Amino acid sequence: MIQTITIQQKQEWNDTVQQSFEYDFYHTWYYHNISRDGEPVLFKFTEGEDFIAIPLLRREIVGSHLADLTCVYGYTGPLSNKPFASLKKSTVQNFKTTFLDFLKKNRYITVFSRLNPFFNQLALLKEFGGVYDNGKVVYIDLRQSIEAQRSQYKFRLTNKIESLRKKGFYVKEATTREDVKAFTAIYQENMRCVHANEYYMFSEDYFIDMMRSKEFICKLLLVYCSGKAVCGATVVCTNKIIQSHLLGTLNEYRKYAPAKLLTEEISLIGRRLGMHYFNLGGGYGFKEDSLFLFKSSFSDLTLEYKSWRFVADKDAYQKMLCENNIDPETDVDFFPLYRYINPGSKKGEEEQKQKEEELVV
């Protein structure tokens, strides 16, 4: 059986995600419902007692009768009620056949999905091809003792965290509208500094809705100094994984690096909530830059981050590249290439949005 579940079918979407063997915050109906990057669709294939599903965003290709599929920003990829490696080969092959038919029927040229480094989704997607290595994410194993965790901290990190505490910095969970208002001001200041699109200027109501969601646990944590909120983060817990979704620091307090104290406190909260892993994420664009070094100062543990870049209609794809005067052999790391606009001549809308997203998450 094949289903194309839309965002209007909240219960069906939620049931599919919650019945999955493993899933993340980014798979949920709530997170797709707030996306403005395309029309959310959950493709679901069921065979007997098993199912395979993949959440995507449908985008029209301007000036054509074609479309493509992408994903929300974050760690998504396919879902199933069983580990992908334990599914019957016939089930996987039948899913592949039906999904390819779905792409052809709806005239989708390409599919792009950021994969979840904690799940073995490659057992399924290797049947299609198009899986790319993009870099690494850092994580902390919260099942180890806190002493073992802290023994992995890089030189001076422990001293820095203790120094922040001695200077009067402390972390508190948000409980009032005033707390949310303080974080919103911090976050929006950060967005203005990076000249982010208006899309990313989230309001107080956005954060309150997240904290009230029943699909995952969301907490808002604030770092205070002398009674003033100077840093904060929305923290999401799903399926034994805790991670910071949005984080910000007041510009005048960046020199103190309060995010270091906040990061350790998030790990302690994760332990209390029974989480197994704290996903710190990677660098900007998943490169091993200064942000990556900051995160890796907490842990030596990393996972490979991959994306799925599948070309369903090769002829149409090549034609689109030709029409946009793009060399198919270019070394630009962007997919699909026909949506790329050379920033040397003009800021491409898609490229600019991608950069802004890297700064937000």
Side-chain angles (χ1 to χ4, degrees):
M1 183 175 72
I2 302 170
Q3 291 175 272
T4 303
I5 301 171
T6 68
I7 204 66
Q8 285 74 38
Q9 297 169 283
K10 180 178 180 179
Q11 191 61 52
E12 290 87 343
W13 193 301
N14 279 338
D15 288 346
T16 301
V17 172
Q18 292 169 12
Q19 291 166 11
S20 297
F21 175 72
E22 49 193 5
Y23 63 91
D24 206 338
F25 158 66
Y26 302 103
H27 290 99
T28 63
W29 175 91
Y30 171 87
Y31 192 63
H32 281 79
N33 188 49
I34 62 175
S35 174
R36 302 174 194 172
D37 296 330
E39 177 187 348
V41 57
L42 179 63
F43 177 87
K44 183 177 182 181
F45 168 77
T46 304
E47 186 172 80
E49 297 180 352
D50 298 331
F51 72 79
I52 301 171
I54 181 166
L56 295 161
L57 300 175
R58 183 183 188 279
R59 300 183 300 184
E60 297 284 349
I61 298 175
V62 179
S64 78
H65 62 287
L66 304 170
D68 56 23
L69 295 165
T70 186
C71 68
V72 292
Y73 194 80
Y75 308 105
T76 55
L79 301 165
S80 177
N81 62 309
K82 289 182 178 178
F84 292 110
S86 70
L87 290 170
K88 294 179 182 178
K89 289 185 178 179
S90 59
T91 300
V92 172
Q93 286 301 316
N94 289 337
F95 166 76
K96 179 180 179 180
T97 299
T98 57
F99 188 66
L100 291 177
D101 287 343
F102 165 75
L103 297 177
K104 183 177 181 179
K105 179 181 178 181
N106 292 279
R107 297 178 175 177
Y108 292 124
I109 297 181
T110 60
V111 184
F112 174 78
S113 181
R114 300 174 183 88
L115 304 184
N116 196 301
F118 290 88
F119 308 154
N120 182 23
Q121 297 164 324
L122 300 185
L124 174 73
L125 295 179
K126 67 181 181 181
E127 299 295 328
F128 289 84
V131 175
Y132 281 71
D133 294 323
N134 292 104
K136 297 180 179 180
V137 297
V138 180
Y139 74 98
I140 297 174
D141 188 342
L142 300 177
R143 298 171 298 178
Q144 65 184 328
S145 69
I146 187 62
E147 292 77 19
Q149 174 183 318
R150 286 170 173 160
S151 71
Q152 295 181 43
Y153 290 179
K154 296 297 187 293
F155 182 62
R156 294 181 179 175
L157 178 57
T158 300
N159 290 339
K160 178 61 178 178
I161 292 172
E162 288 306 311
S163 174
L164 285 164
R165 289 194 172 104
K166 289 177 181 178
K167 289 177 179 177
F169 289 84
Y170 62 94
V171 177
K172 187 181 82 170
E173 182 178 345
T175 57
T176 68
R177 182 94 192 195
E178 285 302 308
D179 292 335
V180 178
K181 183 177 181 180
F183 175 71
T184 304
I186 294 170
Y187 170 77
Q188 290 185 352
E189 180 185 275
N190 279 199
M191 291 299 96
R192 286 192 292 270
C193 286
V194 298
H195 307 292
N197 188 289
E198 188 65 26
Y199 170 86
Y200 298 102
M201 301 299 285
F202 300 128
S203 66
E204 293 174 36
D205 288 337
Y206 172 92
F207 297 114
I208 289 174
D209 287 346
M210 278 192 65
M211 295 163 67
R212 289 176 177 170
S213 175
K214 303 297 184 183
E215 298 174 47
F216 45 83
I217 297 172
C218 178
K219 295 181 177 293
L220 174 56
L221 303 178
L222 293 168
V223 181
Y224 284 84
C225 180
S226 301
K228 180 180 181 179
V230 301
C231 176
T234 53
V235 178
V236 181
C237 301
T238 320
N239 204 26
K240 301 299 182 181
I241 300 171
I242 186 170
Q243 50 203 319
S244 298
H245 175 52
L246 299 172
L247 186 150
T249 302
L250 286 178
N251 290 334
E252 61 182 299
Y253 285 86
R254 285 181 179 275
K255 60 186 177 183
Y256 299 108
K260 292 183 177 180
L261 172 61
L262 180 58
T263 300
E264 179 171 81
E265 288 292 329
I266 293 172
S267 76
L268 298 177
I269 288 172
R271 289 171 179 275
R272 292 198 292 270
L273 294 173
M275 299 296 108
H276 289 178
Y277 307 106
F278 177 10
N279 180 12
L280 279 73
Y284 294 134
F286 292 91
K287 295 180 173 59
E288 295 189 19
D289 57 2
S290 59
L291 178 59
F292 181 87
L293 292 176
F294 165 76
K295 294 175 178 179
S296 60
S297 68
F298 284 88
S299 175
D300 296 324
L301 301 174
T302 61
L303 291 169
E304 297 296 324
Y305 163 68
K306 300 177 186 294
S307 62
W308 185 36
R309 310 178 184 189
F310 182 69
V311 179
D313 188 334
K314 294 181 173 60
D315 291 338
Y317 185 75
Q318 292 298 324
K319 183 179 179 182
M320 291 290 293
L321 294 185
C322 183
E323 290 176 353
N324 287 278
N325 297 314
I326 296 175
D327 181 359
E329 301 301 320
T330 181
D331 58 1
V332 172
D333 186 16
F334 197 90
F335 186 86
L337 267 176
Y338 54 76
R339 288 190 179 270
Y340 175 80
I341 299 177
N342 188 340
S345 58
K346 179 181 179 182
K347 285 289 182 183
E349 180 180 349
E350 291 295 324
E351 183 187 59
Q352 182 65 16
K353 176 168 285 190
Q354 184 181 56
K355 288 180 179 178
E356 290 165 0
E357 287 173 333
E358 290 165 357
L359 292 169
V360 171
V361 175

